[in-house]
Amino acid sequence: MSQSASRIVLASRPQGEPTPANFRLEGFPVPTPGDGQLLLRTIYLSLDPYMRGRMSDGPSYAAPVPVDGVMDGGTVAEVIASHHPGFAKGDFVLAHSGWQSHALSDGKGLRKVDPKLAPISTAVGVLGMPGMTAYTGLLEIGKPKAGETVVVAAASGAVGSAVGQIARIKGAHAVGIAGGREKCDYVVNELGFDACLDHREPDLAARLKEACPKGIDVYFENVGGAVFEAVFPRLNPFARIPVCGLIADYNTIYDGDTPTPKWANSIMRAILVKRLNFRGFIVSDFAALHGDFLRDMSHWLRDGKIKHREFVTEGLASAPEAFIGLLKGANFGKQLVRVGPDNS
């Protein structure tokens, strides 16, 4: 094919916060699919905090992106040419083709997306990995009961917003923590949380005590850092803590050794005395529940019980700055990059 394509590769590994210099935009010829292959044109690229870990070569649950390799990421794409019996030109698919405008696929790992059911962008949002992360982490690890208090950090984000709304569906008292008054107002007034605290305002611990007078039964951890320090003393005996992310610390924990916190012994003592249940998880741990997730989440979405918000930047070249902003909380909702036209 004569058209040109583009991709963003990892130019160098970041030390601390990523910068634009860690990325490089490249052009390349659009590939031609061979037998059993199909050619994908990326429409939406999902940007997610886990990508910071892929940029470093320290120990993790997945292999790092090699220097000069295409940045990792989930996508919604259109099939524009196919020599594969399972896919036809014009199909929309959920893929993992990374930060590039075009990609070849042999069909493995692809899932068709029906634009009649919901906007195709939701396949990497509320009906995709972020939504399933919220669903499985909260219901399988947090196990909220009616009347209990659930607190979630990054409450206006793709995962946190779903966590709080599912908690409310299950009859729990949902308290969010977010960065900024606008986000907190959205979490309460639009998403229906019982309360939301701005972590940028002073004395978060005291305000958390007021918002959670009965203590905290479930804390869905997305952030770490100072937010966790404020939450930890409020945890009730037998509290459950699904650990999904630690975005406040991603620019340090992936680069070299991280010193043990001075209060680590206090944490361990509380885990013992309060019989706390901390569990880190990756969404793929619960792959067997994907059907249940799609059934329940699509039903809640249609009924208006789950609302979502997207934060979209335009063009593949915008991805590095958008990702850097994501790590700083600049996004307001699910962070997407519209790489190509959405003809769904």
Side-chain angles (χ1 to χ4, degrees):
M1 293 186 177
S2 59
Q3 305 106 304
S4 62
S6 56
R7 61 193 174 205
I8 293 178
V9 302
L10 180 64
S12 60
R13 300 204 184 281
Q15 298 300 315
E17 294 184 8
T19 71
N22 297 128
F23 305 91
R24 184 173 67 250
L25 178 64
E26 297 181 342
F28 67 101
V30 174
T32 301
D35 290 342
Q37 291 185 318
L38 53 152
L39 177 62
L40 305 178
R41 176 185 67 83
T42 303
I43 301 172
Y44 292 105
L45 166 66
S46 174
L47 297 182
D48 300 282
Y50 77 82
M51 294 172 178
R52 176 59 182 86
R54 300 288 200 277
M55 297 178 73
S56 298
D57 59 1
S60 187
Y61 58 86
V65 174
V67 173
D68 297 325
V70 177
M71 282 291 297
D72 185 60
T75 58
V76 179
E78 181 180 4
V79 178
I80 58 174
S82 178
H83 295 167
H84 189 291
F87 298 90
K89 181 179 179 181
D91 284 345
F92 296 99
V93 297
L94 175 65
H96 203 84
S97 49
W99 295 26
Q100 53 187 343
S101 63
H102 296 75
L104 288 178
S105 171
D106 61 3
K108 293 180 180 177
L110 298 186
R111 180 169 64 84
K112 291 184 182 181
V113 176
D114 186 351
K116 296 178 181 178
L117 295 180
I120 60 173
S121 59
T122 60
V124 286
V126 67
L127 294 180
M129 182 272 289
M132 186 168 170
T133 299
Y135 177 91
T136 56
L138 180 65
L139 299 183
E140 295 300 308
I141 301 173
K143 299 183 183 298
K145 302 179 183 66
E148 289 190 325
T149 296
V150 174
V151 173
V152 57
S156 67
V159 173
S161 62
V163 167
Q165 292 178 89
I166 296 171
R168 292 283 292 137
I169 290 170
K170 297 300 180 180
H173 181 79
V175 176
I177 300 173
R181 178 45 47 195
E182 183 183 6
K183 290 183 178 180
C184 285
D185 288 344
Y186 167 74
V187 166
V188 173
N189 298 328
E190 296 295 327
L191 302 184
F193 283 49
D194 295 286
C196 187
L197 308 178
D198 181 357
H199 66 75
R200 297 174 182 173
E201 294 181 356
D203 208 356
L204 175 60
R207 290 182 288 118
L208 194 62
K209 184 177 181 179
E210 293 179 5
C212 307
K214 298 180 181 180
I216 299 170
D217 301 292
V218 180
Y219 173 52
F220 197 102
E221 177 63 286
N222 288 318
V223 174
V227 172
F228 173 74
E229 293 181 26
V231 167
F232 187 73
R234 300 298 303 161
L235 294 174
N236 286 332
F238 302 102
R240 290 82 68 196
I241 304 91
V243 181
C244 171
L246 300 166
I247 195 169
D249 302 313
Y250 278 173
N251 290 321
T252 57
I253 62 176
Y254 288 116
D255 300 316
D257 295 330
T258 302
T260 302
K262 295 179 181 179
W263 44 284
N265 288 338
S266 297
I267 293 177
M268 295 303 293
R269 181 178 184 278
I271 290 173
L272 172 62
V273 173
K274 290 187 175 182
R275 287 84 87 205
L276 303 177
N277 182 8
F278 280 79
R279 179 176 168 185
F281 76 102
I282 309 301
V283 66
S284 57
D285 297 344
F286 301 108
L289 297 177
H290 188 255
D292 293 342
F293 157 69
L294 280 181
R295 179 199 65 221
D296 292 344
M297 189 65 88
S298 60
H299 178 73
W300 293 332
L301 195 61
R302 286 193 303 269
D303 288 352
K305 294 181 178 180
I306 292 285
K307 299 178 181 179
H308 68 107
R309 183 168 181 163
E310 295 175 343
F311 192 82
V312 184
T313 61
E314 298 291 338
L316 184 62
S318 72
E321 289 286 2
F323 177 67
I324 291 168
L326 171 69
L327 295 178
K328 297 178 180 179
N331 61 302
F332 195 158
K334 170 59 190 166
Q335 176 70 68
L336 298 172
V337 176
R338 185 181 288 111
V339 178
D342 182 350
N343 299 320
S344 61

